[in-house]
Amino acid sequence: MKKIVFGLVTMLVITFAANAQTDKGDWMVGGNMTINTTKGNSEFTLLPAAGYFFANNFVAGAKFNLGFSKKDETKYTSLGIGPFARYYFNIKDSQFKPFLEADWSISNETSKYLGVKDSYTVTSFFIGGGLAYFIN
């Protein structure tokens, strides 16, 4: 089952990447999904994102997060949203584009252990980079 889900997600990501452009007026849609199950432990995370290219190579948009996990007697949920911005650097005659990204998010997280419920708000900030490969 895990191999089937992994295969479907991989095909979906490749489909999005095959149509990816970084020109002004284009949209970027993507994300990440995690499903993990072991004895006494299960986890599901969904992290979709969408952005709009306001200028060539510059995209800004929103990321969402939804997560559930259970380990033995502890249950955990998370729901959040936040903006992101990413800039792609052109390398002449290359399908590789390095990028820098910054994002900020706020989420409501809840844990429950032996009937005791605890809820809190979490904010996070990220600055980092990566390398994108464009198939087309």
Side-chain angles (χ1 to χ4, degrees), residues 47-125:
L47 305 164
Y52 180 77
F53 282 89
F54 291 95
N56 287 345
N57 299 317
F58 176 72
V59 63
K63 289 184 174 185
F64 306 91
N65 73 53
L66 174 64
F68 301 98
S69 67
K70 182 181 180 207
K71 184 175 181 181
D72 299 324
E73 299 298 319
T74 304
K75 292 181 181 178
Y76 170 83
T77 60
S78 176
L79 179 63
I81 187 171
F84 77 93
R86 180 183 288 186
Y87 184 80
Y88 291 92
F89 297 92
N90 281 327
I91 298 176
K92 189 174 182 175
D93 298 327
S94 176
Q95 290 178 282
F96 288 99
K97 286 192 177 189
F99 63 86
L100 290 177
E101 180 175 338
D103 70 48
W104 176 84
S105 68
I106 185 166
S107 59
N108 181 32
E109 301 186 3
T110 305
S111 62
K112 188 175 182 181
Y113 177 70
L114 298 175
V116 178
K117 189 174 181 181
D118 190 18
S119 184
Y120 39 95
T121 301
V122 175
T123 59
S124 64
F125 182 71

Side-chain angles (χ1 to χ4, degrees), residues 123-135:
T123 59
S124 64
F125 182 71
F126 169 80
I127 295 177
L131 184 64
Y133 178 76
F134 292 89
I135 296 170

